[in-house]
Amino acid sequence: MNLKDIHNVYFIGIGGIGMSALARYFKFIDKNVAGYDKTKTPLIEELMELEIDIHFDDKTSLISEKYKNSENTLIVYTPAVPKSHSELQYYINAGFQVKKRSEVLGIITKDTFCFAVAGTHGKTTTSSILAHLLKETQTPLIAFLGGISEDFNSNFLLEGTEYSVVEADEYDRSFLQLSPDVACITSMDADHLDIYGSDEEIKKSFREFAQKIKPNGKLLVRNGLPIQGITYGLDDASDYCITNIVIEHGTYIFDLKTPEETLKNVRFSKPGKHNLLNGLAAFAMAAQAISQPRRLAEALASFKGVQRRFSYQIKEGDFVFIDDYAHHPTEIDAVHQAVSEMHPNKKVTVVFQPHLYSRTQDFIEGFAASLSKFDTVLLLDIYPAREEPIAGVTSTWLLEKIDNSNKKLIEKSDLLSAIISSKPDVLVTMGAGDIGLEVSKLKKELAYAS
């Protein structure tokens, strides 16, 4: 497919974080862009401000006629959309070019020097840091991010087309559509077992992804993963390694050892050892193509962060409110480690919204163990996303397994009062569902209350 022959691009599921970045791209290069999604969100409102036509009912009659010309129209859909979706079926049956988001990313980036970040955790933060480092070194790049970068205030960056930064999403094996020059694997934990079926199958898929790297390309891997590559790690014998870590006023200061030299007194301000690893991975990836190690290290200090990735909403002397996208036991553990390190001996209340029935079922014991570490647990109902309920898989089931006497199942309408009643020093909201839409309201109310 030649994108030069495409005049119109129609998105089914346009409001997804990855889909919306692609929509911005096609709008930026002067294509006609429109789409469908089931719910209006702040992200969709931003797209509509760009004069992208979006409707919210699954009706082909609502699609503009210009997007019904199969010769010059590309249809992009997300795997989260059910196959029974009438608009998707219309385009498939009418012989349109219908492609998954990952296929389109592969087409856009195949003629660029492509950096691809893979892993069950850390993709969005690592790719956002990488895009920031490349921008700070004036590298001509295009970036498609899985979150809203606080440095760009967007999930999309276009500073040129010579280099590209993408998240290599393992869901539905999407990352096998990419052909990166430099790739990174941050983690290979079991997840998406509704797709893969077993831990071994997901690891097999990551090994297949590693084979997609272009000839003479480079693979970076977190030290300890069962795959060969250039390693990175903390206080170990990795090729890229962070050592001598100290914390001053919430900022990490450390030495960064590369295969060629050791950079002293590097600074990075995102809390948590997992974020230190994300920053190191981004640095190591950039260093494979950009011969400015000291400038890259300096740029680490100015990285602001990603919305919903250990994002401080309130940071006062007597009260802290942090929001995070964590939706897997490993991610919850990483948040707890970061909170404990940056705010020791503080009473921490966590509000958690489980994401997907299948994930809750697959990792029920892990979720219970991870959540039990917090002082108070406020649990919301499971966010179903694309799934139908599974008998017996409920937040009540999870609550029963949490080993903590200060735990409660609550409705969103009772969230504020439950938080205030728990009297936390630190509040953490977590989850990949619509809990993110509650954050701004909580921030406003809690800032007023404090």
Side-chain angles (χ1 to χ4, degrees):
M1 186 187 73
N2 190 337
L3 292 180
K4 292 180 181 178
D5 298 329
I6 297 297
H7 301 309
N8 313 303
V9 187
Y10 188 82
F11 288 84
I12 302 176
I14 195 169
I17 193 72
M19 292 281 278
S20 64
L22 273 180
R24 290 176 188 273
Y25 167 77
F26 282 113
K27 186 68 176 179
F28 195 91
I29 62 171
D30 293 325
K31 305 295 185 183
N32 298 314
V33 179
Y36 156 88
D37 213 297
K38 61 181 180 180
T39 308
K40 181 181 285 190
T41 65
L43 198 56
I44 285 179
E45 288 175 352
E46 290 180 12
L47 295 179
M48 295 174 78
E49 288 173 4
L50 297 175
E51 298 183 349
I52 294 175
D53 183 26
I54 301 172
H55 61 263
F56 304 96
D57 290 319
D58 178 18
K59 296 178 179 178
T60 56
S61 61
L62 297 176
I63 301 172
S64 173
E65 285 302 314
K66 73 174 66 172
Y67 299 98
K68 294 182 178 179
N69 182 343
S70 61
E71 293 183 2
N72 60 11
T73 301
L74 169 65
I75 311 304
V76 187
Y77 75 99
T78 169
V81 170
K83 295 291 186 184
S84 59
H85 193 277
S86 63
E87 292 186 9
L88 179 60
Q89 285 300 314
Y90 162 77
Y91 281 119
I92 291 173
N93 295 332
F96 280 73
Q97 297 185 79
V98 180
K99 295 188 178 296
K100 291 182 182 179
R101 177 183 64 88
S102 55
E103 293 179 89
V104 179
L105 264 184
I107 293 167
I108 293 171
T109 60
K110 68 181 177 63
D111 294 325
T112 69
F113 186 101
C114 179
F115 295 93
V117 182
T120 43
H121 322 293
K123 291 187 293 294
T124 297
T125 301
T126 302
S127 57
S128 297
I129 299 169
L130 176 57
H132 170 71
L133 300 185
L134 295 175
K135 185 177 187 296
E136 289 296 295
T137 52
Q138 299 182 325
T139 304
L141 81 148
I142 182 171
F144 299 92
L145 307 175
I148 305 299
S149 163
E150 293 176 357
D151 293 273
F152 317 134
N153 196 32
S154 179
N155 56 345
F156 173 67
L157 177 68
L158 183 56
E159 298 278 317
T161 56
E162 188 175 340
Y163 294 82
S164 62
V165 174
V166 298
E167 291 189 29
D169 188 3
E170 74 280 1
Y171 176 73
D172 201 32
R173 296 178 172 83
S174 292
F175 57 2
L176 300 183
Q177 302 291 335
L178 300 172
S179 299
D181 295 88
V182 176
C184 174
I185 299 177
T186 65
S187 50
M188 296 166 61
D189 292 336
D191 199 3
H192 305 301
L193 297 184
D194 56 322
I195 299 293
Y196 288 96
S198 70
D199 182 30
E200 179 50 40
E201 277 300 307
I202 194 168
K203 286 180 168 56
K204 178 182 175 182
S205 191
F206 277 104
R207 289 191 286 270
E208 289 179 31
F209 167 71
Q211 298 303 312
K212 296 291 182 178
I213 297 172
K214 292 175 185 174
N216 302 316
K218 303 289 181 64
L219 174 65
L220 283 293
V221 298
R222 181 170 59 79
N223 197 13
L225 293 181
I227 191 165
Q228 293 295 313
I230 300 167
T231 57
Y232 68 93
L234 305 180
D235 288 317
D236 56 23
S238 298
D239 299 306
Y240 289 83
C241 184
I242 285 176
T243 61
N244 302 322
I245 303 167
V246 297
I247 300 173
E248 290 185 6
H249 308 296
T251 295
Y252 290 114
I253 303 173
F254 52 88
D255 296 337
L256 198 165
K257 180 183 76 68
T258 78
E260 291 80 30
E261 62 183 319
T262 297
L263 304 167
K264 300 282 189 178
N265 297 317
V266 180
R267 305 176 74 90
F268 187 69
S269 297
K270 291 305 294 179
K273 296 293 173 58
H274 64 298
N275 277 321
L276 266 182
L277 284 166
N278 292 336
L280 178 59
F283 173 92
M285 291 183 75
Q288 305 310 306
I290 309 300
S291 300
Q292 300 181 47
R294 295 189 182 279
R295 183 69 194 96
L296 290 171
E298 289 170 2
L300 281 172
S302 59
F303 175 69
K304 294 178 182 177
V306 183
Q307 289 181 15
R308 304 218 62 228
R309 269 57 174 195
F310 209 92
S311 300
Y312 281 102
Q313 304 299 311
I314 299 174
K315 196 174 184 182
E316 304 294 343
D318 58 350
F319 180 67
V320 171
F321 175 17
I322 298 161
D323 179 47
D324 197 275
Y325 192 69
H327 56 283
H328 185 283
T330 300
E331 296 165 352
I332 296 171
D333 288 340
V335 170
H336 183 267
Q337 182 275 323
V339 171
S340 300
E341 185 174 59
M342 292 298 173
H343 306 284
N345 305 314
K346 298 292 185 180
K347 182 183 177 184
V348 183
T349 292
V350 63
V351 178
F352 180 61
Q353 181 188 48
H355 184 259
L356 299 179
Y357 297 104
S358 60
R359 182 181 283 123
T360 304
Q361 182 180 50
D362 291 336
F363 303 109
I364 186 74
E365 300 296 341
F367 280 123
S370 298
L371 292 168
S372 296
K373 298 175 183 178
F374 294 87
D375 297 298
T376 300
V377 181
L378 301 177
L379 196 62
L380 294 170
D381 283 332
I382 297 171
Y383 184 79
R386 57 187 177 270
E387 293 186 337
E388 295 297 322
I390 298 174
V393 179
T394 64
S395 286
T396 300
W397 180 41
L398 173 56
L399 189 76
E400 291 170 352
K401 289 183 171 289
I402 295 172
D403 184 15
N404 188 325
S405 59
N406 298 314
K407 60 182 180 180
K408 186 178 182 181
L409 183 64
I410 59 171
E411 301 289 335
K412 285 181 191 171
S413 57
D414 300 324
L415 192 51
L416 180 62
S417 60
I419 290 168
I420 293 173
S421 296
S422 73
K423 299 180 180 179
D425 300 316
V426 179
L427 169 68
V428 182
T429 50
M430 288 192 301
D434 60 4
I435 187 174
L437 300 176
E438 304 296 315
V439 172
S440 61
K441 293 182 278 187
L442 289 174
K443 179 180 178 179
K444 182 179 179 180
E445 295 289 345
L446 291 169
Y448 176 78
S450 62

